[in-house]
Amino acid sequence: MIENITLYGASKKLRSREISSQYLVRRCFSHILGKNNVLKNFSVVNKNAIKESILSDKRYQQGRSLSLIDGIPISIKDIINTKHMKTTAASNILKDNISSHNATVVNKLRRNGAIIIGKTNLDEFAMGSATNTGIWGECNNYINISKTAGGSSGGAANSISSNMSLGSLGTDTGGSVRLPASFCGVVGMRPTYGRVSRFGLIAFASSLDQIGIVTKDVPSAALLLQYISGYDSKDATSSSKKTDNYILNIYKSLKEKKIGIPIEFFNNIDNIVIQKTLIKLIEFLKYNKINIRYISLASSNSVIATYYILAISEASSNLSRFTGTLFGSKLKLTDNKINFLSLYRGIHWGMEIKRRILLGTYVLNSHYADQYYFQAQKVRKLIHQDYIRNFELVDLIISPTSPILPFDLSKKQTNLINTYLIDIYNVGASIVGLPAISVNIGDKNTPIGIHIIGRFFDESSIINLASILESNYTT
Amino acid sequence: MNRFINIKRIIQLCFLSKISIQNSERKIILRDLEKVVRYVSKLNQVNTNNMLPVLIIGVNNIYLRPDNFIMSDRKFLKDLRFSFYNLIKIKNF
């Protein structure tokens, strides 16, 4: 059905000339016009998208298409810089910000002919788990509009499930791509730290941030990853390791692979639906003669605390650059510069940002740095060793993506710690820098994400298992 | 409760972070800060003896342990070493 076409399917149909790029872009725009007021997935749309799609169609007619993603409408999270569209990070402080440059990933997509259809909604500066702290409003889940779409890349994941774009780039600091993908019933992938350039991404926590992918199915995620990964001299943490052919690896056999299930994750699931799904999944893997091994990730009790100390410390440092002189809304200086600067930042920032900056300043304070920040860095090393030790025993680690199902928007998460704990299965991979993917194995109305973590730079294996689950597992 | 967290501390943190907050926000932030600090304090129970952190750049000292790095990518380490030397030059250590 053309309505639910995937990125991978659209690529095939464009090449066989069954559909045109202009048709795809117009379809996406009609969904945006019809549903964005309610869902609030997009902050900005690209007015030149139709013109660009006409050019792409001409390229196909002349037999000189640029790549397999030429003419495909793709959305970008509104925290990744684009030259001709606003990049607001869903914050008042950057409300009118137009970047002077494109992010490397945006340049790569454009060079390959993809059509940037618009910018997607997020939590302010990507800090949140429900896409409800930004200036573009609260994102409602397309599957059930009374539920949250998750966050912080809620707009990206929801834009895919509601057919507003075929592929989307989000950012993942502590699960911001995988959690919304799980809540919206789509695929969300975080590549290895360094696999995809972060140049042009507005930093939240530099040692944890990574650009991720959201698509409707696993082959589409593999295809998109193929075009955005690779070394970039503009990003000092970018890796020069050669990228695999992800598409070729999708349908490999998993008989040789060992899959680890952390007992700590398995024992701590309170939600009956998720627990039953996980038991069924294990039966499915055993039935298909895939090697399963129960492992122990003893450090999993410390991951949330470690993640929050590191993330808020880095956020507090990264956000100090927003002084009202270089980016976004400009500050008119008065005689008392410091007071005015405080007032300006106080007015323009939301509560969540202020909370995290103040907490960051607290844990970095020289009196407490040993107790919190340095200790968190040491525990990070312990978590790293724990994962490395387990990856000597198994090839992949699986768990649910989230311990809960999408919660009601009316039920605001008042307990801060409970909000943080939503990401408990995701932050381990973020802290260590490992690749991970969330794939939906739930039914149409109750999406349940399964989280697969792989070894460093082994995106092929996580794509491989995710693809097998997607095509063979039935609820 | 951490006895060092009070409204006076919040005002001090606001000054250091160059953020103004309203009186009503102060109480919420104080409550949240207490909760989060209590939660993250449990990290101190983790035994990290003989454990060297990944990377720490302090004001007067730099601990750099390339073998401790998350990544073992040569190019990454080379770039990092370059940044490290530049940092020394800039800071005039």
Side-chain angles (χ1 to χ4, degrees), chain A residues 53-261:
Chain A
S53 69
I54 293 169
L55 291 175
S56 167
D57 285 335
K58 277 185 186 166
R59 287 195 293 270
Y60 275 106
Q61 275 165 13
Q62 292 162 358
R64 49 181 190 89
S65 63
L66 297 172
S67 71
L68 298 179
I69 56 166
D70 195 346
I72 304 268
I74 287 170
S75 56
I76 306 282
K77 189 174 177 179
D78 197 7
I79 197 165
I80 299 171
N81 282 328
T82 45
K83 207 172 173 182
H84 302 295
M85 274 184 280
K86 280 182 187 175
T87 305
T88 67
S91 177
N92 255 323
I93 213 160
L94 290 176
K95 203 174 179 181
D96 305 310
N97 175 50
I98 295 179
S99 171
S100 60
H101 62 277
N102 277 332
T104 297
V105 284
V106 174
N107 277 335
K108 283 189 172 187
L109 289 177
R110 290 182 72 89
R111 264 203 305 273
N112 285 296
I115 317 288
I116 309 295
I117 198 155
K119 308 289 284 278
T120 56
N121 197 359
L122 68 153
D123 282 299
E124 189 174 8
F125 280 94
M127 294 181 196
S129 302
T131 314
N132 61 357
T133 63
I135 57 168
W136 302 111
E138 195 165 43
C139 218
N140 301 315
N141 196 321
Y142 177 62
I143 295 171
N144 179 348
I145 57 164
S146 64
K147 306 272 185 190
T148 178
S152 65
S153 305
N158 221 19
S159 78
I160 299 297
S161 66
S162 58
N163 298 308
M164 292 184 184
S165 64
L166 297 187
S168 193
L169 295 190
T171 62
D172 191 309
T173 306
S176 292
V177 157
R178 293 161 283 161
L179 182 75
S182 155
F183 282 5
C184 295
V186 293
V187 173
M189 179 158 74
R190 175 198 165 92
T192 311
Y193 186 80
R195 176 59 96 198
V196 176
S197 167
R198 288 184 298 114
F199 177 76
L201 161 66
I202 298 174
F204 155 23
S206 311
S207 76
L208 300 157
D209 289 343
Q210 181 55 274
I211 289 177
I213 293 165
V214 188
T215 54
K216 212 164 238 175
D217 65 350
V218 179
S220 304
L223 185 62
L224 202 47
L225 179 64
Q226 200 75 59
Y227 287 102
I228 64 163
S229 55
Y231 174 70
D232 177 24
S233 58
K234 290 174 187 158
D235 175 5
T237 58
S238 168
S239 167
S240 54
K241 275 209 165 79
K242 213 178 153 224
T243 53
D244 294 344
N245 187 330
Y246 303 113
I247 294 287
L248 274 183
N249 288 324
I250 286 179
Y251 302 108
K252 265 187 180 174
S253 166
L254 273 174
K255 295 263 159 69
E256 303 288 305
K257 303 270 183 195
K258 279 186 199 149
I259 294 172
I261 299 170

Side-chain angles (χ1 to χ4, degrees), chain A residues 193 231 236-237 239-241 301-302 304-306 309 338 341-343 345-346 351 354-355 357-359 361-362 368 371-372 374-382 384-385 416-417 421 431-432 456-457, chain B residues 2 4-5 9-10 13-21 25 28-29 32-33 35-37 39-44 46-48 51-56 67-73 75-76 79 83:
Chain A
Y193 186 80
Y231 174 70
T237 58
S239 167
S240 54
K241 275 209 165 79
N301 290 332
S302 317
I304 291 285
T306 308
I309 291 176
I338 299 268
L341 181 62
S342 303
L343 198 62
R345 284 156 64 95
M351 192 62 176
K354 287 181 195 174
R355 182 160 46 208
I357 290 176
L358 294 180
L359 277 166
T361 308
Y362 180 81
Y368 308 114
Q371 197 182 340
Y372 297 112
F374 293 165
Q375 175 71 1
Q377 287 284 24
K378 289 176 184 172
V379 179
R380 183 182 202 174
K381 182 70 190 164
L382 273 178
H384 174 240
Q385 286 177 348
L416 208 62
I417 305 300
L421 286 171
I431 288 172
V432 184
F456 285 116
F457 299 101
Chain B
N2 191 324
F4 297 112
I5 303 171
R9 171 74 61 193
I10 299 289
L13 288 173
C14 286
F15 175 75
L16 289 170
S17 310
K18 296 185 182 56
I19 296 176
S20 69
I21 55 169
E25 289 177 324
I28 300 169
I29 286 179
D32 291 346
L33 197 69
K35 270 187 198 167
V36 177
V37 167
Y39 181 75
V40 298
S41 292
K42 73 175 188 179
L43 265 196
N44 288 307
V46 180
N47 182 6
T48 52
M51 187 58 63
L52 285 161
V54 176
L55 169 72
I56 293 172
D67 57 315
N68 251 355
F69 254 90
I70 290 177
M71 319 277 289
S72 55
D73 188 320
K75 172 80 183 66
F76 173 68
D79 283 345
S83 317

Side-chain angles (χ1 to χ4, degrees), chain A residues 39-54:
Chain A
L39 300 178
K40 297 193 176 71
N41 293 342
F42 277 83
S43 56
V44 189
V45 290
N46 179 10
K47 289 171 187 165
N48 295 321
I50 291 182
K51 274 186 202 167
E52 290 170 23
S53 69
I54 293 169

